[in-house]
Amino acid sequence: MSKISSQEILYYIDAILKYSNYGKAAKSLYISQPYLTQVIKRVENELNCELITRNKLPYRLTEQGKIYYQYLTSLENNYAKLLREISDVSDIDKTVIKIGVLPSLGTYLLPLFLPDFLTLHSDCRIELLESLPEKNEKLTQNNELDFWIGQNSRNISPNLNSVSWGRHRYRAVIPRCSDLYQENTAVISEGSIDMSKILCQKLVLTSKGSAIRKQIDQLLNLYKVEPNIIMESTEINTILKLATGNLGITFIPESVYVKESPSEYNLYQIPIDELSLDYFIAYHNERKLSNIDHDLINAFLIHGQNNSDLGE
């Protein structure tokens, strides 16, 4: 069989069925279209059958494909069950909490509250899954994650409960290459630039699937702008460095530190009614919260209040 994991192949098939287009599916998975095509073709050759019908839209699983998909799903369910059983035996005296978070967001948020929480509950062990929001949301819905930490709670699934810090601002980083750049100006005053003009510039953005990108895409749709996206990255710090390195404009939450450098770029504080975010911790609405769960949520909220100067 293919050396690619059953979980990866499941993600690949799901994406192809969702978009009915290999190019769009590959982009959503952050892989190349030729690689995606090669993986599916390799599996089909190994099974000596066609998995997905491609001769009409939308794409559908063939009868053989349905059998293979069920097989992959059963493998994943059995493996998840195995991990839970092993974890239960290995950590019989410890409470294990599984948390999903985007890596760049975890870098900022987790150090703010986890040390205090673990001081209070030294017998508790945290397992982190650092992945994209879409995956963390899906795993939380499937009860494979206990909590999901993210941003923009209004976009999450209705079968998840969430508590948040409230609204926080974004800043645009405007480098010298932009005609909106103002010489020797560290910070451009809020509300002085029309958002549609910013969106028409060369843009450096986080990849599709990130919470920030979803908001930017909504703005592009609202202002009916066809974007000129120079580069994308899953890492917000990469995007920041590219923008400050004079590649194009990007959008950064205020939680991300940016050193003022008026000779290289401006920082423009975007009106909070135009673009804002909230940080949240979410869990399945059927989950019965323990005292430890409540302490984790409270630790998250307390540090949110301590950082309320980032908001309005």
Side-chain angles (χ1 to χ4, degrees), residues 205-208 210-217 229 232:
L205 300 178
T206 52
S207 301
K208 289 279 189 181
S210 73
I212 295 176
R213 179 60 181 273
K214 286 181 180 178
Q215 289 184 284
I216 300 302
D217 286 347
I229 301 172
E232 299 175 328

Side-chain angles (χ1 to χ4, degrees), residues 267-292:
L267 299 177
Y268 170 64
Q269 185 157 283
I270 299 171
I272 200 164
D273 290 333
E274 286 269 21
L275 192 64
S276 65
L277 75 153
D278 66 336
Y279 297 114
F280 67 82
I281 184 167
Y283 55 94
H284 200 287
N285 56 21
E286 294 181 356
R287 179 181 176 85
K288 294 182 179 180
L289 297 179
S290 66
N291 290 335
I292 293 178

